[in-house]
Amino acid sequence: MELSRRTFHALAGTATLGLALTGSGSPTSAHPARPVRTGPPPPVPHADGMRHEVAFDRHSLVVDGRRLVLWSGEMHPFRLPSPSLWRDVLEKMRAHGYNAVSVCVAWNYHSPAPGRYDFTGVRDLDLFLRTAAETGMYVIVRPGPYIGADVDAGGFPGWLTATEGTARTSDPTYLRYVDEWLTAVNTIVAGRLFTRGTGTVLLYQIENGYDAHAGESAGRAYMAYLYEKVRADGVDVPLFHNDTARAGHWAPGSFDTRGEKGRWLYGFGGDPEPDRVPPDWRHVAAGGAAAGARTPGFLPESGGGRPDPWGGAEPGGEGYAEARRTRDAAYERRVYLTHLANSITLHNVYMTYGGTSWGWLPAPAVYTSYDYGAAFDEARNATPKLASMHQIGQLLRHVPDLARLEQAKEVRATDGRIKVYHLVNPDTGAHVYVLRNDTGEAVSSTLPQAGIDVPVTVPARDAKLIATGLRLGRRTLVYSSVQPMLSLTAGRQDIAVFAGRRGDLAQVVLECADEPTPMRLDAEPAWAYNLGKLNVSAPLGAGGLSRVRVEGDGVDTPMLLLFADDATALRLWPYETPSGRLLVYGPALLRSAELRGSTVHLTGDTIGETGLEVWGPPGLTHVTWNGRAVPTRISASGSLLALRPLPGVTRPALPALDGWRRRTENPESEPDFDDSAWTVADRKTTFSTTPVPGGQPVLFADDYGFHYGDVWYRGTWTGDGDVTSVSLAYSTGTQGLLMAWLDGEPLGTHRMPVPGKARARRGTWTAKAAFTLPEELRERLRERGRGRHVLSVLVRRTQHDLDGAARDTHKAARGLTAVTFEGAGPEVTWRIQGATAPDPVRGPMNNGGLYGEREGWHLPEHDDRDWKDVELPRSDRRQGVTWYRTGFRLDVDPGVDASVGLVLDDDPGRAYRAQIFLNGWNLGQYVNDVGPQHTFVLPNGILRTRGANTLALAVLSDGTTPSGPGDVRLTLLGAAAGGVPVKPV
């Protein structure tokens, strides 16, 4: 059903809409007021109270008249439920060269019911946006309403699955709910727009991967509605959509924007496979039709890793370690330099920090961990793959020539195995060459057509960017055999950094009209001067950072050349202050730098003992590190050099987990259990996409308000004791299961199969569990004759379908769908019970419907003194649910950021699963005989690193094998001296 203009205005409000779309002085435009030449990028963004203009042309974004290459990383605040740690991740991203963060905002995370929206506590979106501004990061906001993102129902709230209206169309019923959501989220976003100076929100995404209705009027009306709604809510930054592939869907002009032009970007997603050659993705649609030809190349999602399914079928059972291995630094360099060569200047790396799909947040296709093989692992540690991301980010920030590159004439390497992209900046005349090696061995070659007559080596399945004619401060680079990383002026000298693989021989040639006086400050470099050119060479990595100072060549400002291998480059930290730029070398992370008088105050992290070197503005004489003075001297390179190393971290000791207590539950399976307060399941119709079987009531859990976690059913009847078998049809997400009891006697457990590679992304699983009653039970039923009988069923329903194809499949049933009997046909009355009211702190996706959850057994304040003492490992053989609880204390030094995990291990032949609760927070689901996850991150803030903690495990076992838990222990996943202050959640 298409939405009429009248309906839209009734929903959105014409007065506000008209003001937003026709008001004068728009802060965004597709075309800057005049052509923008290459120059310095805009300064680091903050909420400065000033008005800003955001424009773009076909080359790049233009912010306040300056070109900006956007180098963004994806993180999801909802996957890190400790607001203090948001700052930690954002500061790490900024330090490693990212200038923006992209965030999905999940509707289901904020809305437990229609009309109810919660943006407090761990859901405080405004706090996240403020924190991003404080750390100097632009923000790309992606509130959907559909986000995908491997979360339950693609981000749609559970209650939406039981409503009328077709989602992701112009259906008025659906749009009324969308209006509620966007009003709530846009109220916050509009208050943090970079254009207004009240925040750093730079771009805003509408929908995600919406190609199912791209050629239909309903789809066009839907996109037009979302566009107008967002504008009506006061969001004035450029808008965009993320096309699932380079298909041209929702390019500028493809839907009605009520006459507003030049404020819509075309973006598409792409995740090249590691064993494939990276494609040449220009911002052109398939079939040759222009798509966003007047907008810059934009990848809102590009491969920073990959999701992992239950059982780990896709990466061979190796989990995210395999994703990180196959999408390593070389993969990232090969892919992102290819993108840059294809004129793509807006990049978002999905994911840069993956985090944890805690509680019932994950989509069916993924398990608890959303580590993703990302540059920062789930425990917030930097990984080696950051080397390429760090270097590219710093390069894009400090070398403005890359913001406007045109394709130039073809250049070939002497060795044809190297693919060469040749680009030129028409303003500066700098030439850029991206060299890509798609073979399985390193290749060395010259580029005589580019005037490069020394061998340039490109490792196997890797890439390298080199440049000629590039201005580095007050000198010009003739060429280099390794990649430039940054160029800046600190104090009275220009500094240029070149980086590459360990063992590479870096050769850098500078124009020098007069013979210079180079000064070799480390043992490794060498130099030679001939015919106006200075050739400096240095082996990378042999002695850490290698330094050469160049002066006396007729240029008043000295130049410092720094040479670093990948590991060394990860310890180089440029930083911009109001007093000038700094370059810091040594620590594992630089978080902040502030100049007060002649002292620079640095904060950051160290892991091992490390030196410290600081280049900065003139007059700098003193350094502090994390509040403590650092004795220094002035070095020959003009830096302040620490006289003694900064200390490393003392790794904290972790206690053993003992003192366990145990209690069995599932009283719901007993025939005399009081279920009178449960909801009667007697509906006849549903809005689900699953048909109701003839003669059956609606048993679908969502129709009765139970959207997350486990759900119980009790069917009662009188008489008909001749039942010989029961057949239970049910529908779940991946790894769902069903347990059944009749009159308190276990009938058995049925489990959905572990998905193979072909079905790993399947969203809904259906099965029929048939249980033949044993003869002893049939005899007891006959003896009871016309007595009361109870069939009790527990369903682990798992999650809703992602509905990526926009077919309303998120409404597929969860729970029982039909129950039939053999031997008798009793008239059954059904009652259903799931999670009780949503946890006001932890949100609607924390709890399910287990008896222990409903009674608060997972909460730290629960009194478990009457539980039985037990030791682990445990070996039970019982169908049902058993709880285990223990407490432990940590005493981590307040100056140490310790990331702690929980490890569960047992004989993989034992069939059981456990819900893990830390201090009441549902931090994940462990399935012992499926995996691949065994380690669960315990986020600081939820984890009390200085105090008492309560750990509870709700263990479901099918009774066919001995069941644990087995080995349950804490493990240290990372530690650094430094970190950020963490408030308890």
Side-chain angles (χ1 to χ4, degrees), residues 366-643:
V366 294
Y367 47 88
T368 298
S369 175
Y370 203 65
D371 176 279
Y372 214 78
F376 297 98
D377 69 20
E378 188 181 0
R380 299 176 289 111
N381 297 308
T383 68
K385 71 183 288 180
L386 259 173
S388 58
M389 315 299 275
H390 180 86
Q391 292 167 31
I392 293 173
Q394 307 296 358
L395 177 69
L396 295 175
R397 174 67 190 163
H398 293 91
V399 179
D401 305 68
L402 303 179
R404 186 186 178 195
L405 294 175
E406 302 279 2
Q407 301 293 317
K409 68 178 182 179
E410 183 181 21
V411 167
R412 294 179 180 271
T414 53
D415 191 318
R417 292 176 294 174
I418 291 183
K419 164 78 174 177
V420 180
Y421 295 88
H422 178 203
L423 306 107
V424 64
N425 185 299
D427 300 328
T428 67
H431 290 256
V432 171
Y433 303 89
V434 171
L435 282 58
R436 197 181 71 216
N437 176 10
D438 297 316
T439 74
E441 59 184 8
V443 177
S444 296
S445 180
T446 59
L447 281 79
Q449 292 172 287
I452 302 174
D453 54 7
V454 300
V456 178
T457 300
V458 185
R461 296 185 181 87
D462 206 335
K464 181 177 290 187
L465 182 149
I466 58 177
T468 64
L470 183 68
R471 292 291 291 178
L472 300 175
R474 292 156 186 84
R475 290 169 179 80
T476 299
L477 175 71
V478 179
Y479 66 80
S480 67
S481 65
V482 294
Q483 188 165 299
M485 174 174 149
L486 60 85
S487 173
L488 56 82
T489 299
R492 297 185 176 90
Q493 65 182 346
D494 296 329
I495 300 176
V497 178
F498 294 86
R501 290 283 191 97
R502 182 178 180 86
D504 282 357
L505 179 64
Q507 298 194 65
V508 172
V509 180
L510 298 176
E511 286 185 3
C512 294
D514 298 330
E515 184 170 357
T517 306
M519 182 184 301
R520 185 175 62 184
L521 305 178
D522 295 284
E524 294 77 17
W527 60 272
Y529 178 76
N530 185 39
L531 300 176
K533 294 181 176 62
L534 175 67
N535 188 324
V536 180
S537 61
L540 300 184
L545 189 66
S546 295
R547 308 159 182 83
V548 174
R549 185 177 169 94
V550 180
E551 54 187 329
D553 57 344
V555 179
D556 292 337
T557 304
M559 166 163 271
L560 181 65
L561 298 175
L562 302 178
F563 300 92
D565 67 351
D566 285 350
T568 302
L570 280 168
R571 297 165 58 205
L572 279 165
W573 310 104
Y575 200 93
E576 297 178 52
T577 76
S579 303
R581 292 189 174 187
L582 297 169
L583 182 62
V584 177
Y585 171 58
L589 179 70
L590 178 69
R591 293 184 181 273
S592 69
E594 182 181 2
L595 273 64
R596 297 199 295 269
S598 61
T599 301
V600 58
H601 300 271
L602 307 176
T603 67
D605 297 359
T606 60
I607 296 174
E609 189 177 81
T610 181
L612 177 66
E613 195 167 1
V614 182
W615 293 271
L620 199 63
T621 59
H622 294 82
V623 178
T624 69
W625 177 256
N626 288 342
R628 296 186 177 183
V630 177
T632 61
R633 64 174 175 84
I634 299 177
S635 75
S637 69
S639 66
L640 291 178
L641 186 64
L643 296 178

